[in-house]
Each structure stands twice: as C-alpha cells, then as structure tokens.
Amino acid sequence: MKVTVDLSALGKTKWYEYAVRFVFGGIVTVLAGLIAKNFGPGVGGLFLAFPAIFPAGATLIEKHEKQKKEQAGINGTQRGRTAAGLDAAGAAIGTVGLLCFALLVWQLITSYQTWIVLTAATFAWLTVSVLIWHLRK
Amino acid sequence: MEEFLLRFLIGGAVVSAFAVLGDLFKPKSFAGIFGAAPSVALATLVLTVSTEGTSYVATEARSMVAGAVAFFIYASCASWLLVRYTFPSLAATSLLILVWLAAAFGLWVVWLR
C-alpha cells in the first residue's frame, strides 16, 4: 500500500475540530506540568506519553468516514469505526517509536545539548515508526 | 500563571501540528502513527529543561518509557475493539484511558518507583 498526501483533508476538518484538538493538547501539557510539580518527575513523566487527543482524533475519523460513505448512499457507521480502528493500529506502531524517543532522551539529555537530543529523538520516533509500518504492511 | 499559559499555548500548538500532519496522510494505518507523536513530550521538555534542568528531564523521560508501553497497550486494545467489535469510537477510546492509567501506574510501581 502506497503512502499518499491528501491536502484536501485539511478542508474537511471544521474550525471547531481544530480548536478542540488545540485545547485538549494545551490542557494535557499543563496537566503534565502540574502533576510533575505536585508528585515529582517520576509520576509526571508518565503523562508525557498520555493518549492526549486520541479519543477526539478517533471520533473525528469515524465521523468523517461515516459522512463520506453516507454521501455515497451507504451506511457508514461500521466503516467509520473500522477506519478509527485502523488509525489506532497505526498509533500502536507509533508508540514503539515513542518508546525509542523516551529511551534516547533519558540516556542522552544530561550529556548533550537539549536541541540536539530532542531533534535526534524525534527523528528516531519517526524513523522507527515508519520502518515498522513498512515491515508490517 | 504565565508559565501555565505558555505551556497551554505551546502544548496546543505542537499537538495540533502533529494532528494536522496525521490528517494529511493516507492510508489510515500510516496516518495513525502521528496519533502517537511525542507532541506533549516535546512541548513539556523544552520548557522543563530551562526551569528544572536536565537531570529532572532525564527522570521524566525514564517514566515516559512506562507511559509509552501503556500507550501501546491502549492503542492495541482500541484497534481490536473498533475493528473487531465496531464499538463507538468515543466510548471505546475514552473508557480505555482507564487501561492506560492502570498499565502506566502498574509499570511505574513495579519497575520505576
């Protein structure tokens, strides 16, 4: 299966759907900071891998897929949920990359410059995730 | 207060940016990778390094390993429920947050505390 970029997808998302993701992302980032301040970095660190906007994202995918199928005269409920499930399968692959991100930051952040470590760890997240996705397809 | 506002704005922007990237790609299984992007981590760690130092961030990243394993369990369960049993997305993914919490804190207690 070939990976493609569909710019028209941007127009399908309503302004309030963008706003919901922004607000959720902001709230979770504030909460992660508050939890670390009150309970220490050991507990706070768990929330750096919290599925922050996952429910909102999955709901959006289900809704868009359902609308698309219903425009074609097909009941899209099942297809919408399957599409959200496939997205979740991709996220499971992405978590392996996320694990590599965390391991690299843990091991390297005290020895190298922050921007170098965070850039390398983000690159590792993407590379590992894409590689596993290609191996699994 | 200023720090929290900054966290909110940076967190919202980084999470939204990765979410938009996820919207652009097809197929859905590939786009899903961006659902597990290190968005909250990037937004948090950049600010935390400047206020608390690198040792504090290293401790956070160590715990993040457990959080990422919990996220893997969460996303795998969500995929299974949605594809196999076609549960409503919002109900399934919201209820499974309890699974993430149990897995993350379970790992932390057993392995990291």
Side-chain angles (χ1 to χ4, degrees):
Chain A
M1 202 180 292
K2 203 175 154 191
V3 175
T4 54
V5 175
D6 177 19
L7 289 172
S8 72
L10 294 179
K12 289 175 194 159
T13 306
K14 308 252 184 330
W15 70 267
Y16 59 83
E17 292 168 337
Y18 285 115
V20 164
R21 294 194 290 199
F22 184 93
V23 170
F24 266 87
I27 288 173
V28 171
T29 308
V30 169
L31 280 179
L34 277 174
I35 290 167
K37 265 197 167 56
N38 287 297
F39 299 100
V43 176
L46 295 172
F47 288 85
L48 299 184
F50 184 72
I53 57 158
F54 205 87
T59 309
L60 207 64
I61 289 164
E62 180 183 331
K63 187 180 143 195
H64 287 173
E65 197 68 26
K66 192 177 166 189
Q67 281 171 348
K68 202 164 82 183
K69 292 294 166 194
E70 282 175 355
Q71 275 167 6
I74 305 162
N75 183 348
T77 302
Q78 192 170 340
R79 181 69 193 104
R81 291 173 186 173
T82 304
L86 292 173
D87 184 78
I93 291 171
T95 59
V96 182
L98 196 64
L99 184 79
C100 296
F101 175 96
L103 284 170
L104 283 175
V105 175
W106 171 24
Q107 293 299 317
L108 303 177
I109 196 78
T110 52
S111 310
Y112 298 95
Q113 283 185 24
T114 304
W115 73 270
I116 294 174
V117 175
L118 292 181
T119 306
T122 305
F123 188 71
W125 159 74
L126 188 61
T127 308
V128 168
S129 304
V130 171
L131 196 66
I132 295 174
W133 185 84
H134 273 289
L135 291 173
R136 267 192 58 93
K137 74 173 175 174
Chain B
M1 191 63 197
E2 220 172 81
E3 188 199 330
F4 290 128
L5 183 65
L6 192 63
R7 271 183 193 273
F8 179 82
L9 293 174
I10 294 177
V14 178
V15 166
S16 297
F18 277 107
V20 167
L21 272 177
D23 286 347
L24 292 176
F25 288 103
K26 279 183 178 177
K28 284 276 174 268
S29 61
F30 184 83
I33 287 172
F34 292 88
S39 42
V40 175
L42 282 169
T44 301
L45 297 179
V46 166
L47 294 169
T48 309
V49 163
S50 59
T51 55
E52 308 286 349
T54 53
S55 295
Y56 188 96
V57 166
T59 309
E60 283 200 315
R62 181 169 166 260
S63 289
M64 190 188 163
V65 173
V69 174
F71 199 164
F72 175 79
I73 296 167
Y74 168 89
S76 301
C77 290
S79 177
W80 180 66
L81 284 178
L82 292 168
V83 173
R84 182 143 185 176
Y85 297 104
T86 58
F87 268 60
S89 301
L90 184 62
T93 54
S94 301
L95 279 173
L96 283 170
I97 293 285
L98 295 173
V99 171
W100 181 88
L101 287 167
F105 280 97
L107 283 166
W108 182 74
V109 167
V110 170
W111 177 46
L112 298 170
R113 195 166 63 160

